[in-house]
């Protein structure tokens, strides 16, 4: 690794020790191997990176070397061979766990999709129920206004007409006004005006009382509906949680049994 000069070897070239250079060599060598594997129809491929760098959750095995390889070929267990077999078993278990974890993730995604659909269905049904109640309340209000018109409309119109007549008489001027004041007609009209105004206020009060009574009833309807909606939401949430617990328990049991069967098939005798 020393440089060559006209007088022989010179100082060591530290660039040959660069980790980046080694990585580049390994990458190029892996590319060359994969190209030859593909050319000769082999499905296998190599990767110059470590399992950790590749993001692979797998424990690497160790190179046996000539001594350990000779022992293994002759049916004798070696320390490195035993370690590799233990790592292989651990990798098999890890792979099985990853497969089951992926299955569980898919199962959970499907379950949550189903749960979201059920929640959306309940929400849509409750929206429709609220809409029906709002329409019912609108019909009740319209019916009440019709009854109020029947009960007080004619009376209100008559009183207002009389009030307008009285107001016109009270606006009289000149001699006519003097005569009305002398004979007490103005005073009588003013008293009648106060009485009719009181009558209109009484009609307004009774109408508003009936409107308020209906509004209170409708508020109670909305509160009861909201309570029922919340109860149904709680019941649904409890049901979904129970279903989730049962499904995960059943999946865990199936996963455990499947893992045992798969491990028994691949585990060394």
């Amino acid at each position: 690794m020393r440089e060559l000069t006209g007088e022989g070897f010179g100082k060591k070239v530290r660039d040959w020790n660069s980790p980046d250079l080694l990585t580049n060599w390994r990458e190029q060598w892996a590319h060359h191997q994969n190209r030859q594997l593909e050319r000769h129809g082999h499905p296998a491929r190599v990767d110059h990176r470590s399992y950790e760098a590749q993001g692979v959750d797998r424990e690497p095995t160790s190179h046996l070397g000539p001594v350990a390889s000779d022992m293994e070929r002759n049916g004798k267990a070696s320390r490195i061979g035993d370690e590799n077999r233990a790592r292989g078993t651990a990798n098999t278990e890890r792979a099985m766990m990853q497969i089951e974890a992926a299955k569980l993730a898919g199962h959970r995604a499907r379950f949550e999709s189903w749960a979201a659909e059920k929640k959306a269905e309940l929400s849509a049904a409750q929206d429709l129920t609220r809409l029906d109640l709002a329409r019912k309340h609108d019909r009740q209000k319209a019916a009440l206004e019709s009854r109020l018109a029947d009960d007080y409309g004619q009376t209100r119109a008559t009183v207002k007409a009389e009030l307008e007549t009285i107001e016109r008489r009270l606006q009289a001027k000149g001699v006519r006004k003097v005569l009305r004041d002398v004979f007490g007609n103005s005073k009588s009209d003013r008293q009648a005006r106060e009485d009719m105004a009181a009558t209109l206020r009484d009609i307004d009060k009774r109408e508003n009382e009936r409107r308020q009574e209906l509004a209170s009833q409708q508020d109670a309807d909305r509160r009861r509906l909201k309570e029922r909606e919340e109860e149904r939401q709680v019941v649904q949430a409890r049901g979904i949680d129970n279903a989730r617990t049962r499904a995960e328990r059943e999946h865990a049991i199936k996963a455990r049994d499947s893992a045992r069967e798969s491990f028994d098939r691949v585990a060394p005798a």
Side-chain angles (χ1 to χ4, degrees):
M1 296 300 181
R2 295 179 180 272
E3 64 181 8
L4 291 174
T5 67
E7 298 177 356
F9 288 108
K11 62 181 180 179
K12 287 186 177 181
V13 181
R14 301 298 180 183
D15 292 343
W16 293 107
N17 298 330
S18 169
D20 292 338
L21 179 61
L22 177 60
T23 300
N24 180 263
W25 282 348
R26 290 172 60 86
E27 182 178 1
Q28 294 302 318
W29 177 237
H31 176 69
H32 175 74
Q33 292 181 84
N34 288 331
R35 186 171 57 190
Q36 296 303 318
L37 288 168
E38 181 180 6
R39 177 179 299 175
H40 293 282
H42 296 290
R45 296 292 184 272
V46 299
D47 195 311
H48 68 286
R49 298 170 299 172
S50 66
Y51 285 145
E52 181 179 2
Q54 297 178 57
V56 177
D57 184 17
R58 183 178 176 87
E59 189 175 353
T61 55
S62 300
H63 180 64
L64 285 175
V67 176
S69 295
D70 186 63
M71 291 175 63
E72 294 289 336
R73 281 195 297 270
N74 293 324
K76 297 179 181 179
S78 65
R79 178 184 61 80
I80 298 178
D82 289 342
E83 291 177 354
N84 285 343
R85 280 185 284 275
R87 290 173 181 174
T89 300
N91 286 334
T92 299
E93 293 177 347
R94 185 181 288 111
M96 295 300 176
M97 291 174 62
Q98 291 172 348
I99 291 172
E100 292 306 323
K103 290 181 180 179
L104 179 59
H107 168 78
R108 285 175 175 168
R110 289 190 297 274
F111 183 90
E112 294 305 326
S113 177
W114 169 83
E117 289 178 1
K118 292 300 178 184
K119 292 178 181 178
E121 289 175 2
L122 177 58
S123 178
Q126 291 180 339
D127 288 343
L128 184 59
T129 301
R130 286 193 293 272
L131 180 60
D132 288 342
L133 182 62
R135 289 173 175 171
K136 175 185 175 182
H137 285 173
D138 288 341
R139 292 192 298 270
Q140 289 175 341
K141 290 178 181 178
L144 174 61
E145 293 302 323
S146 179
R147 289 195 298 272
L148 292 176
D150 291 340
D151 293 343
Y152 304 109
Q154 185 61 46
T155 302
R156 186 195 302 275
T158 301
V159 172
K160 284 186 174 181
E162 291 179 359
L163 269 175
E164 290 176 359
T165 301
I166 291 173
E167 288 294 343
R168 285 196 296 271
R169 291 202 300 264
L170 289 174
Q171 292 174 5
K173 297 180 180 179
V175 176
R176 187 177 178 185
K177 181 178 184 304
V178 172
L179 292 174
R180 287 181 56 80
D181 291 343
V182 170
F183 290 103
N185 293 332
S186 296
K187 181 177 180 182
S188 176
D189 282 343
R190 282 193 290 271
Q191 182 61 49
R193 182 177 61 183
E194 292 179 4
D195 293 341
M196 289 180 185
T199 299
L200 290 177
R201 288 195 298 272
D202 183 62
I203 291 174
D204 289 340
K205 178 181 178 182
R206 280 178 285 176
E207 286 182 336
N208 289 332
E209 286 175 349
R210 291 172 65 176
R211 291 189 182 102
Q212 185 58 45
E213 181 181 0
L214 177 61
S216 298
Q217 294 174 358
Q218 293 181 344
D219 286 342
D221 289 342
R222 284 187 285 268
R223 285 195 300 272
R224 285 191 295 268
L225 177 60
K226 185 177 181 181
E227 290 172 359
R228 289 196 300 270
E229 287 178 345
E230 291 174 349
E231 288 174 0
R232 289 192 63 187
Q233 290 169 1
V234 169
V235 170
Q236 184 190 65
R238 188 181 299 118
I240 289 175
D241 288 341
N242 291 337
R244 182 184 291 108
T245 300
R246 289 195 303 270
E248 295 207 357
R249 186 185 301 117
E250 292 172 1
H251 182 82
I253 294 173
K254 291 179 181 178
R256 181 193 62 195
D257 295 341
S258 176
R260 286 176 178 174
E261 293 175 2
S262 299
F263 182 73
D264 291 341
R265 287 196 300 269
V266 301

